[in-house]
Amino acid sequence: MDKDLSAPQSLEESLDPADWGRARALAHRMIDDAIDHLAGLRDGPAWREMPAEVRRALADPLPDQPQSPEVVYDDFLRLVRPYPMGNVHPRFFAWYMGGSNLTGALADFLAAIDGSNLGGGNNAPAQVDRQVTGWLRDLMGFPQGAGATLTSGGSVANLIGHAVMRNVRAGVDVRAKGVRAMAAPLRVYASDQVHSCHQKALEVLGLGAEALRLIPSGPDYRLDMAALAKALVEDRAAGWQPASVIGTAGTVNTGAIDDLAAIADFCHENGLWFHVDGCIGAFLRLSPGHAGMVAGMERADSLALDPHKWLHTPFEAGCALIRDGARQRQTFTLHPEYLEVQPRGVAGAEFLFDYGIDLTRGFKALKVWMALKEFGPTRHGRLVAQSIERSRYLAKAVEAAPDMALMAPQVVNITCFRYDPGGLDEAALKALNVEIMLRLQEEGIASPSDTQLHGRHSLRIAAVNHRTRRADMDLLLHETRRIGQAILQG
Ligand SMILES: *Cc1c(COP(=O)(O)O)cnc(C)c1O
């Protein structure tokens, strides 16, 4: 092996391989191994615990001596690849995550080789970013003048929406004066099922967690419009300035979809900003049979969507759409003397960093662009419909089983249920179902997650993955019962 890896190869050292042929052979091996891994995914466990020696090795300090790339890759194969989160596996059902795809993964490699910084400027990668965000804008039914920005994920996409809202609604130049100059505190409304990232965003924006007023949801887990109207009146009397309503197109707990058209009307009548969190459900628009569920979303002032969820873009890729692109620009544009747009040359185009928080931006657009071109919106729409069908299949099987309980209406691709053979109180049911969940995970059968629904514990099955089959749902239910019975029999 290489003896002298630490010694300079020449006076003009770089990070490029000394031997391109050897680098090529290793790169080919990586691709071959990756494709074998992907093709064999279903036969492997949904998850496995890291053995103690792996955990130890992954806490080792940085080696003193450089190592050959083959040795480093071998470490990856041994220590990392066998122990992923598992969200690309067909029986990963936890939280709400996309299943990734080979085209997107290869695009990520190509993007890194290209290496462009998409802060903006006059280059094809930045143009690909503008093109693909334009496609997402069109798919969502937003107008030409809308701003569209790729983000790390839905949390930042929602943050961008709230930031523009704050600056528009502040009543003062909040960029110059800060939130302390506002005459009255802004209030933002959402159902109690809204994602936690919104509270975090309002905290970061200096509005505070109390700026978010949560409206208790009913048995359908949707925003209660009558309670919303009442809250608005109360808050006005109490000195708050109602500013915005968040409609959720697919809540994280149950997949419930707020009445977005009604919220759009309500916001219009009351002069409020209308924000939609479409991180789960925005891509329902791609399925003709389901697009009606999110009717009204296209009327939002701001919309957050998450290509790395139901569009299966490899992490990370979120997207913020702002109806009035000029407002978005006014919120984020800042050009010091070293970042001027020029009439020609490398800086001869608008900078993308004018529309968000990051200055340096990776070429994440490519993995969305290549996959969208290859698969097309129609196939993506079919996959959206397919995962809803899988969830419905599971919900029906749960309803038909005397020892299982459906815990919430199944609306999209989230099914909430628990093993309930009868005679157990809430605390015992929770303990039982948590134990079932952990054993399902530890045995590598499937990875569900859990939640609390109006005070009751539930297993939660998000069937986002495009690889999930009906047989996976059969297995899940069968194994849930087997483990549940085993636990009760001690
Ligand atoms: C996932 C999710 C988010 C947060 O998006 P990230 O991409 O995880 O940052 C926000 N809202 C909803 C409804 C989500 O499901």
Side-chain angles (χ1 to χ4, degrees):
M1 290 247 90
D2 317 76
K3 276 194 239 118
D4 209 16
L5 281 167
S6 63
Q9 305 286 332
S10 73
L11 289 175
E12 290 168 344
E13 194 176 24
S14 84
L15 296 178
D16 284 335
D19 177 349
W20 285 102
R22 183 176 150 191
R24 186 189 305 271
L26 178 60
H28 284 182
R29 237 182 78 209
M30 288 179 179
I31 296 278
D32 285 340
D33 293 348
I35 289 183
D36 286 345
H37 169 72
L38 203 54
L41 211 54
R42 171 173 283 284
D43 303 326
W47 183 79
R48 57 159 79 94
E49 182 74 74
M50 282 177 277
E53 62 271 22
V54 168
R55 216 174 266 282
R56 260 198 309 278
L58 293 179
D60 279 347
L62 179 65
D64 290 335
Q65 293 300 314
Q67 298 170 324
S68 79
E70 289 83 1
V71 167
V72 176
Y73 177 54
D74 188 56
D75 279 351
F76 166 78
L77 286 181
R78 212 164 34 85
L79 300 173
V80 183
R81 174 160 288 160
Y83 312 104
M85 169 164 262
N87 51 286
V88 299
H89 192 281
R91 285 189 302 282
F92 182 91
F93 301 124
W95 307 298
Y96 197 97
M97 298 187 190
S100 195
N101 69 87
L102 178 61
T103 296
L106 293 172
D108 240 359
F109 169 73
L110 297 176
I113 293 290
D114 173 88
S116 289
N117 179 343
L118 267 71
N122 183 16
N123 56 78
Q127 209 48 40
V128 166
D129 189 303
R130 294 181 186 103
Q131 183 174 32
V132 82
T133 53
W135 290 345
L136 292 171
R137 178 199 64 207
D138 294 347
L139 287 172
M140 292 301 129
F142 266 53
Q144 284 285 324
T149 302
L150 291 180
T151 61
S152 49
S155 301
V156 172
N158 280 303
L159 173 70
I160 286 178
H162 295 314
V164 181
M165 178 280 295
R166 182 197 65 177
N167 290 12
V168 169
R169 293 290 148 148
V172 295
D173 180 357
V174 82
R175 286 193 65 177
K177 306 285 184 197
V179 290
R180 72 195 139 81
M182 285 167 20
L186 301 183
R187 189 79 125 168
V188 175
Y189 301 85
S191 93
D192 59 8
Q193 298 297 302
V194 79
H195 194 277
S196 60
C197 74
H198 297 277
Q199 176 185 328
K200 214 188 249 193
L202 298 180
E203 290 172 6
V204 168
L205 290 168
L207 299 174
E210 287 178 9
L212 183 61
R213 178 158 179 180
L214 298 180
I215 310 294
S217 58
D220 60 0
Y221 296 92
R222 301 170 92 199
L223 179 62
D224 178 338
M225 297 303 295
L228 170 65
K230 224 169 125 249
L232 204 71
V233 173
E234 282 171 12
D235 279 357
R236 283 208 166 109
W240 290 92
Q241 188 194 330
S244 162
V245 181
I246 303 168
T248 300
T251 61
V252 66
N253 270 333
T254 70
I257 298 170
D258 290 336
D259 187 342
L260 302 175
I263 300 173
D265 289 341
F266 182 86
C267 288
H268 184 72
E269 284 155 21
N270 291 281
L272 303 173
W273 184 276
F274 176 31
H275 177 82
V276 173
D277 181 344
C279 286
I280 285 177
F283 292 109
L284 285 162
R285 270 184 72 93
L286 302 187
S287 169
H290 300 96
M293 298 171 90
V294 290
M297 183 172 71
E298 72 289 349
R299 292 165 62 193
D301 293 299
S302 49
L303 168 63
L305 51 148
D306 234 356
H308 66 202
K309 289 182 174 172
W310 225 344
L311 214 56
H312 307 294
T313 304
F315 297 135
E316 305 159 336
C319 181
L321 296 179
I322 309 291
R323 172 167 305 279
D324 184 344
R327 297 286 202 184
Q328 185 182 3
R329 193 168 195 286
Q330 282 159 19
T331 300
F332 295 110
T333 185
L334 192 60
H335 286 267
E337 68 280 9
Y338 44 83
L339 288 174
E340 292 295 344
V341 174
Q342 299 297 337
R344 305 193 311 280
V346 177
E350 189 177 42
F351 284 98
L352 298 175
F353 62 67
D354 275 333
Y355 292 88
I357 298 156
D358 297 303
L359 178 64
T360 292
R361 304 172 81 248
F363 192 7
K364 58 169 67 76
L366 190 64
K367 60 193 171 189
V368 187
W369 190 83
M370 285 183 72
L372 267 180
K373 278 165 80 88
E374 178 181 341
F375 304 129
T378 309
R379 179 149 168 206
H380 277 297
R382 283 201 306 275
L383 289 170
V384 163
Q386 174 175 280
S387 55
I388 295 172
E389 189 280 331
R390 299 289 183 263
S391 300
R392 186 146 304 155
Y393 178 82
L394 176 63
K396 283 204 172 127
V398 165
E399 283 180 314
D403 55 352
M404 301 279 171
L406 193 67
M407 299 302 291
Q410 172 271 322
V411 181
V412 284
N413 56 343
I414 296 173
T415 309
C416 294
F417 79 99
R418 65 184 176 188
Y419 178 60
D420 182 357
L424 299 174
D425 65 12
E426 179 59 36
L429 280 169
K430 177 169 181 175
L432 174 61
N433 279 275
V434 167
E435 184 60 25
I436 292 172
M437 173 177 77
L438 298 180
R439 290 195 197 180
L440 283 167
Q441 294 172 359
E442 285 171 341
E443 292 177 28
I445 297 163
S447 296
S449 62
D450 66 343
T451 192
Q452 291 286 128
L453 298 173
H454 290 163
R456 296 192 306 164
H457 180 261
S458 178
L459 298 177
R460 202 183 142 279
I461 302 300
V464 195
N465 197 293
H466 50 92
R467 304 175 181 94
T468 304
R469 301 175 184 163
R470 285 185 180 184
D472 293 312
M473 297 308 191
D474 293 335
L475 181 72
L476 171 71
L477 219 52
H478 180 269
E479 295 294 278
T480 298
R481 178 177 294 118
R482 176 186 66 77
I483 294 170
Q485 287 171 347
I487 294 168
L488 289 177
Q489 281 158 16

